[in-house]
Amino acid sequence: MSAVAPVLDRLDKNLDQSLERLFELLRLKSISTDPAFAGDCRKAAEWLVADLKTIGFDASVRDTPGHPMVVAHHDGPEGSPHVLFYGHYDVQPVDPLNLWEDDPFDPKIKEIAGGIKVITGRGSSDDKGQLMLFVEACRAWKDVHGGLPCRITLLFEGEEESGSPSLKPFLEANAEELKADFAMVCDTGMWDRETPAICVGLRGLVGEEVIVKAADRDLHSGEYGGAAANPVRILAKILAAIHDDDGSVTIPGFYDGVEETPSQVLKSWETLGETAENFLGEIGLSIPSGEKGRSVLELVWARPTAEFNGISGGYTGKGFKTVIAAEASAKVSFRLVHKQDPEKIRAAFRAFVRARIPADCSVEFHEHGAGPAIQLSYDSPFLAKAKDALSDEWPKPAVMLAMGGSIPIVGDFQTLLGMESLLVGFALPDDRIHSPNEKYDLASFHKGQRSWARILDALTKRS
Amino acid sequence: MSAVAPVLDRLDKNLDQSLERLFELLRLKSISTDPAFAGDCRKAAEWLVADLKTIGFDASVRDTPGHPMVVAHHDGPEGSPHVLFYGHYDVQPVDPLNLWEDDPFDPKIKEIAGGIKVITGRGSSDDKGQLMLFVEACRAWKDVHGGLPCRITLLFEGEEESGSPSLKPFLEANAEELKADFAMVCDTGMWDRETPAICVGLRGLVGEEVIVKAADRDLHSGEYGGAAANPVRILAKILAAIHDDDGSVTIPGFYDGVEETPSQVLKSWETLGETAENFLGEIGLSIPSGEKGRSVLELVWARPTAEFNGISGGYTGKGFKTVIAAEASAKVSFRLVHKQDPEKIRAAFRAFVRARIPADCSVEFHEHGAGPAIQLSYDSPFLAKAKDALSDEWPKPAVMLAMGGSIPIVGDFQTLLGMESLLVGFALPDDRIHSPNEKYDLASFHKGQRSWARILDALTKRS
């Protein structure tokens, strides 16, 4: 009998208990971007440490200038590889709260259309549900075998949803402790409910906040309208200039380092059968808004973007106020691919904005994180093994794909610790991560635990 | 001895008591645009009715679907004219509250630079302070003479700062009761501290709220960025298209009905000596943002505008959220001049926006008031008399000017009740109306009362 079979049995039997543990973690309001929830972030870190200690990990809460890290170590058999597993315990804000059908911080099991059972709540999919998969796999392995199949280090971050300001310094300061043979990251998704996926490409990210300042006070639009600069108008003009009519980004130098996706890769994506109608139909849209002449999968997996994530200025309450605001601001992010340089993009954006600010107005910028794109090689030694392990668990064989989101940690592992990452996750396109009514399929939570046990087995087997 | 001399004396002696009354009114938080303050609006109306009854007015709170009106009547001598005086008791919101030096609803007398005494608080200038001038002039006249110099009707509105939705229906339903020989409106300003002004031109206003809707939920900008429509981007593109590079409005038909200001009027404005540096320097700016080649006075008094009064979409809290919003909205207003038709402008704006909405997105509009521009004749019979009365009170002769703000009531008086309006007010450019730290000069409050007594005298004297 293989080493993994009894572990899989154990995971099946302990599903209810593993759900109880997940629910405890989901109830903690660890919203990292809002300082009001700093205490909840710490509680989540402390909860994880306490839980990991019950498995036998040498676990600790590690302070940073922001939210704490959780680091845990467990020995493995002599000569086994050393694996670093990464997840994040922080979550996105929950506004607009009125759109949630269930309390975002009171998780429950619910049946949705098609008889599918899901776990509701903020963080159920991104990323508390996913990080607990690996913890449960370790717990079951330890229970069954009295030890783990390899040396394992866990790193759980609390600032992934707010630009990870403490991550790089922490990796640099603790490089020796954290460096492993390779990393495993569970913050990605499946292709569909039957098809697991390994992600080999991830877009990078640059986050910027721009504040345009005009008059030294809010003005009456009757008294000053037509004469005084309006920062909303200036900001709208700047944002509108960032894309041309074909959806391309006009900032000079923006496409430096962007490569065309190899045609065989594009062809393999074509076989997935995704269409714009399908992909966008799920969210009530139908027309791709990005660069013309490219498939939706190429647009979100392999093309860079400029997106406006928030805008604010003047009176935004109920009713009307005939005001010309003193300032207006926008949160802007760029998704990067291939070799685009985040800091060059940031500088180019700022120059683009500054060139459009009238001489009697001013502009202020705030930085909100940066990370380059990741492109893994399709022929990593552990990739084939992981693919087989996943294919054993799920109805359909695993596929290799790219992802539109950014997981800066993967770049940092590469540049700071010299580790490649295996990116496997079990989120689904309808999980509504970052949106109201986030959920995680119960099947993802169950078979995800089993998948990680299989992957651990496959990558540590001496054959 | 003239009829007005003892009234002026009385006003001088009673200044402290009149201030106490104004402070009581200023303490009521009658913010009309925010439903949370509906009770405070009603209290302000009730306060006015109670005060007017002490003078002998037949006064009542008159319900509307929105905030109530105050209507009060007082007889005059046989054969005297019938005058309708209008003001509004509602005020603008006070946000951002942290920029106020003093509690906006706890008025006090304060000395500012130059030894000038001012009354602080929201509504001190716009318009509670101004409407009480006329009430105090009536009170003093009644005290001294036992009656008023003419038949007087008072109309105080509670929705002027929120688009006056109930005003037209109320005027129509009560036309017989409210129609007078002419109207007096005190909601305008002086040219400077020494020079009173009569306003003969007022810009009109169209208020619109536009909501662009894209996906049926907020999206993760990594997952969907580059493929899904971003409503902030669509909105920014639309707003940016509304002005050309010369500051003109590009909406087709927008300038229909706009006339060039007569050269002699432009010349008389030139003699006022206003410069862009002066006018904009007060608010920390220097470069006119409107149509090129026109003076700042022409821009704010005689040219139409499109202003963006508020914009909102996506994540606008602290930190960053990599979201593509489901919708984004803007509050847009147009200041109108001469014969521009508010409803045609509204329709043209909506068509302009609709033409720029992608086929898979949608747009919603909300109306926030409309009123045409007012252009009074320079040779109204009562204008010369009022000008002389003002010139008697103040150090410098009164001037005739236009104003950038909108007072829709003046148009309604003209079209619905067939009345011309005399627009006299004592606000100053540094009163910060609609902004934090609104104030009203104590001299405006004192000499303003005296000015209205003089005007009443001048316009009712039988010579």
Side-chain angles (χ1 to χ4, degrees):
Chain A
M1 189 168 143
S2 76
V4 76
V7 177
L8 300 179
D9 282 347
R10 182 90 187 174
L11 288 171
D12 295 345
K13 284 190 192 113
N14 280 0
L15 182 61
D16 285 348
Q17 291 92 311
S18 70
L19 273 169
E20 275 167 36
R21 285 185 285 268
L22 174 62
F23 280 20
E24 281 183 25
L25 181 57
L26 290 176
R27 285 186 196 110
L28 301 173
K29 302 177 182 178
S30 48
I31 300 168
S32 60
T33 203
D34 186 340
F37 295 92
D40 304 78
C41 288
R42 178 165 294 272
K43 270 184 207 154
E46 285 165 352
W47 185 93
L48 283 163
V49 165
D51 186 55
L52 292 170
K53 282 181 174 168
T54 68
I55 307 176
F57 276 91
D58 175 14
S60 55
V61 172
R62 305 279 284 269
D63 285 339
T64 74
H67 304 300
M69 303 277 176
V70 170
V71 178
H73 297 288
H74 198 294
D75 277 342
E78 190 75 32
S80 67
H82 178 198
V83 172
L84 175 74
F85 179 87
Y86 165 90
H88 64 90
Y89 67 79
D90 63 320
V91 298
Q92 281 277 323
V94 294
D95 57 286
L97 195 55
N98 61 315
L99 297 185
W100 285 80
E101 286 167 21
D102 304 288
D103 186 332
F105 293 112
D106 187 12
K108 58 180 187 182
I109 301 287
K110 190 171 160 177
E111 201 168 291
I112 61 168
I116 294 161
K117 285 190 176 160
V118 303
I119 302 160
T120 66
R122 175 57 89 226
S124 56
S125 175
D126 181 20
D127 182 46
K128 289 171 174 173
Q130 303 234 70
L131 76 82
M132 286 305 290
L133 302 179
F134 193 85
V135 173
E136 296 301 342
C138 289
R139 189 189 325 269
W141 200 292
K142 183 84 181 275
D143 284 352
V144 170
H145 296 295
L148 297 182
C150 63
R151 180 177 160 207
I152 291 177
T153 296
L154 304 175
L155 173 63
F156 298 145
E157 186 192 358
E159 300 181 330
E160 201 273 344
E161 303 292 5
S162 54
S164 297
S166 308
L167 187 64
K168 270 192 188 184
F170 190 81
L171 292 182
E172 279 164 351
N174 301 281
E176 211 166 324
E177 178 184 355
L178 297 172
K179 184 171 169 24
D181 294 313
F182 55 88
M184 291 175 166
V185 175
C186 192
D187 198 16
T188 54
M190 301 183 47
W191 169 249
D192 59 29
R193 283 203 158 76
E194 303 194 312
T195 317
I198 300 173
C199 178
V200 299
L202 278 170
R203 292 196 288 191
L205 179 72
V206 171
E208 280 279 283
E209 185 168 356
V210 49
I211 305 164
V212 176
K213 301 183 174 195
D216 59 14
R217 71 196 75 161
D218 284 359
L219 306 172
H220 186 296
S221 73
E223 239 182 301
Y224 287 99
N230 184 328
V232 177
R233 175 173 152 200
I234 296 165
L235 183 62
K237 209 103 185 167
I238 291 170
L239 297 184
I242 288 176
H243 297 89
D244 67 17
D245 290 342
D246 287 332
S248 296
V249 174
T250 62
I251 297 170
F254 182 75
Y255 288 97
D256 290 356
V258 177
E259 293 160 9
E260 285 299 324
T261 306
S263 62
Q264 72 273 24
V265 175
L266 288 178
K267 265 181 207 151
S268 76
W269 292 348
E270 269 169 37
T271 64
L272 293 170
E274 188 62 290
T275 63
E277 291 67 32
N278 254 344
F279 184 82
L280 294 173
E282 295 228 356
I283 52 167
L285 295 173
S286 60
I287 307 167
S289 74
E291 299 158 285
K292 294 208 171 122
R294 299 179 187 270
S295 74
V296 280
L297 289 188
E298 187 185 1
L299 285 175
V300 297
W301 287 353
R303 299 299 302 176
T305 69
E307 289 290 354
F308 312 138
N309 307 102
I311 191 164
S312 167
Y315 184 70
T316 59
K318 283 189 185 174
F320 208 89
K321 188 173 170 183
T322 48
V323 70
I324 297 177
E327 60 180 57
S329 66
K331 302 194 199 251
V332 177
S333 65
F334 301 93
R335 297 280 166 182
L336 311 184
V337 300
H338 311 124
K339 301 192 176 86
Q340 279 179 299
D341 179 332
E343 293 310 329
K344 274 192 189 162
I345 299 279
R346 190 190 301 286
F349 168 69
R350 292 185 176 188
F352 183 91
V353 172
R354 283 203 184 95
R356 285 161 177 80
I357 300 290
D360 60 345
C361 298
S362 64
V363 63
E364 205 179 288
F365 296 95
H366 297 287
E367 193 174 320
H368 288 283
I374 298 301
Q375 194 64 51
L376 297 183
S377 53
Y378 278 78
D379 53 2
S380 301
F382 52 84
L383 223 56
K385 289 183 185 173
K387 195 166 181 277
D388 289 345
L390 283 169
S391 302
D392 286 344
E393 175 64 26
W394 295 85
K396 292 193 180 163
V399 292
M400 290 191 194
L401 43 71
M403 274 192 70
S406 308
I407 309 183
I409 185 79
V410 180
D412 295 334
F413 285 165
Q414 205 160 45
T415 55
L416 300 177
L417 304 184
M419 287 189 294
E420 291 275 293
S421 298
L422 173 67
L423 297 164
V424 173
F426 304 92
L428 286 167
D430 65 358
D431 276 357
R432 295 176 178 253
I433 65 166
H434 292 210
S435 297
N437 302 314
E438 179 176 349
K439 62 89 182 158
Y440 196 43
D441 272 21
L442 185 59
S444 290
F445 188 64
H446 182 198
K447 292 172 80 66
Q449 297 176 15
R450 292 171 51 97
S451 297
W452 278 116
R454 287 184 189 274
I455 291 171
L456 273 178
D457 183 49
L459 295 184
T460 58
K461 234 185 295 202
R462 307 187 202 191
S463 54
Chain B
M1 191 168 143
S2 76
V4 76
V7 177
L8 301 179
D9 282 348
R10 181 89 186 176
L11 288 170
D12 295 346
K13 283 188 194 114
N14 280 359
L15 181 61
D16 285 348
Q17 292 93 311
S18 70
L19 273 169
E20 276 167 34
R21 285 185 285 267
L22 173 62
F23 281 21
E24 281 182 25
L25 181 58
L26 289 176
R27 284 187 197 108
L28 301 172
K29 303 176 181 179
S30 48
I31 300 168
S32 59
T33 204
D34 186 340
F37 295 93
D40 303 79
C41 288
R42 179 164 292 272
K43 270 184 207 156
E46 286 165 352
W47 185 93
L48 283 163
V49 165
D51 186 56
L52 292 170
K53 282 180 175 169
T54 68
I55 306 176
F57 276 90
D58 175 15
S60 56
V61 172
R62 303 281 283 269
D63 285 339
T64 74
H67 304 300
M69 303 276 176
V70 169
V71 178
H73 298 287
H74 198 293
D75 277 342
E78 191 74 35
S80 66
H82 177 197
V83 173
L84 176 75
F85 178 87
Y86 165 91
H88 64 90
Y89 66 78
D90 64 320
V91 298
Q92 282 276 323
V94 294
D95 56 285
L97 195 56
N98 62 315
L99 296 186
W100 286 80
E101 286 167 19
D102 304 287
D103 186 332
F105 293 112
D106 187 12
K108 59 180 186 183
I109 301 287
K110 191 171 159 176
E111 201 168 291
I112 61 168
I116 295 161
K117 284 189 176 160
V118 303
I119 302 160
T120 66
R122 174 58 89 227
S124 56
S125 175
D126 182 19
D127 185 46
K128 289 171 174 174
Q130 303 235 70
L131 77 81
M132 286 304 289
L133 302 179
F134 193 84
V135 173
E136 296 300 343
C138 289
R139 190 189 325 268
W141 200 292
K142 183 85 181 275
D143 284 351
V144 170
H145 297 296
L148 296 182
C150 63
R151 182 178 158 204
I152 291 176
T153 296
L154 304 176
L155 173 64
F156 298 145
E157 185 193 359
E159 302 181 329
E160 201 272 345
E161 303 293 6
S162 54
S164 297
S166 308
L167 187 65
K168 270 193 188 184
F170 189 83
L171 292 182
E172 280 163 351
N174 300 280
E176 211 166 325
E177 179 185 355
L178 297 172
K179 183 168 168 27
D181 294 312
F182 54 90
M184 290 173 168
V185 175
C186 192
D187 198 16
T188 53
M190 301 182 49
W191 170 248
D192 60 27
R193 284 204 157 78
E194 302 195 311
T195 317
I198 299 174
C199 178
V200 298
L202 278 170
R203 290 197 289 191
L205 180 73
V206 171
E208 280 278 283
E209 185 167 355
V210 50
I211 304 164
V212 176
K213 299 182 175 196
D216 58 15
R217 72 197 73 160
D218 283 359
L219 306 172
H220 187 295
S221 74
E223 238 181 304
Y224 287 99
N230 183 328
V232 177
R233 175 174 150 198
I234 296 164
L235 184 62
K237 208 101 183 170
I238 290 169
L239 297 185
I242 288 177
H243 297 88
D244 67 15
D245 289 342
D246 287 332
S248 296
V249 174
T250 61
I251 297 171
F254 181 76
Y255 288 97
D256 290 356
V258 177
E259 293 160 8
E260 284 299 324
T261 306
S263 62
Q264 72 272 23
V265 174
L266 289 178
K267 265 181 206 151
S268 75
W269 292 348
E270 269 169 38
T271 64
L272 293 171
E274 188 63 289
T275 63
E277 291 67 33
N278 253 345
F279 184 82
L280 295 172
E282 295 228 357
I283 52 167
L285 295 172
S286 59
I287 306 166
S289 74
E291 299 158 286
K292 294 209 172 121
R294 298 180 187 269
S295 74
V296 281
L297 288 187
E298 188 184 1
L299 285 174
V300 297
W301 287 353
R303 298 300 301 175
T305 69
E307 289 291 354
F308 312 139
N309 307 103
I311 190 164
S312 168
Y315 185 69
T316 58
K318 282 187 186 178
F320 208 88
K321 188 173 172 183
T322 48
V323 70
I324 297 178
E327 59 180 59
S329 66
K331 302 194 198 250
V332 177
S333 65
F334 300 94
R335 297 280 167 181
L336 312 183
V337 299
H338 311 124
K339 301 191 176 86
Q340 279 179 300
D341 179 333
E343 292 311 328
K344 276 193 189 162
I345 299 281
R346 189 191 302 286
F349 168 68
R350 291 185 176 188
F352 183 90
V353 172
R354 283 202 183 95
R356 286 161 177 80
I357 300 291
D360 60 345
C361 298
S362 65
V363 63
E364 203 178 289
F365 296 95
H366 296 288
E367 192 174 321
H368 288 284
I374 298 301
Q375 193 66 51
L376 297 183
S377 53
Y378 278 78
D379 52 3
S380 300
F382 52 84
L383 222 57
K385 287 183 186 174
K387 195 164 182 276
D388 289 346
L390 284 168
S391 303
D392 286 346
E393 175 65 27
W394 295 86
K396 291 191 180 166
V399 293
M400 290 189 193
L401 43 72
M403 273 193 70
S406 308
I407 309 183
I409 185 78
V410 179
D412 294 335
F413 285 164
Q414 204 161 47
T415 55
L416 301 177
L417 305 183
M419 285 190 293
E420 292 273 294
S421 297
L422 173 67
L423 297 164
V424 173
F426 304 93
L428 286 167
D430 65 357
D431 276 359
R432 295 176 176 254
I433 66 168
H434 293 211
S435 298
N437 301 316
E438 180 177 350
K439 62 88 184 162
Y440 197 44
D441 273 23
L442 185 58
S444 291
F445 188 65
H446 182 198
K447 292 171 80 66
Q449 298 175 16
R450 292 171 51 98
S451 297
W452 278 116
R454 286 184 190 274
I455 290 171
L456 274 178
D457 182 50
L459 295 183
T460 58
K461 234 186 292 203
R462 310 189 200 189
S463 54

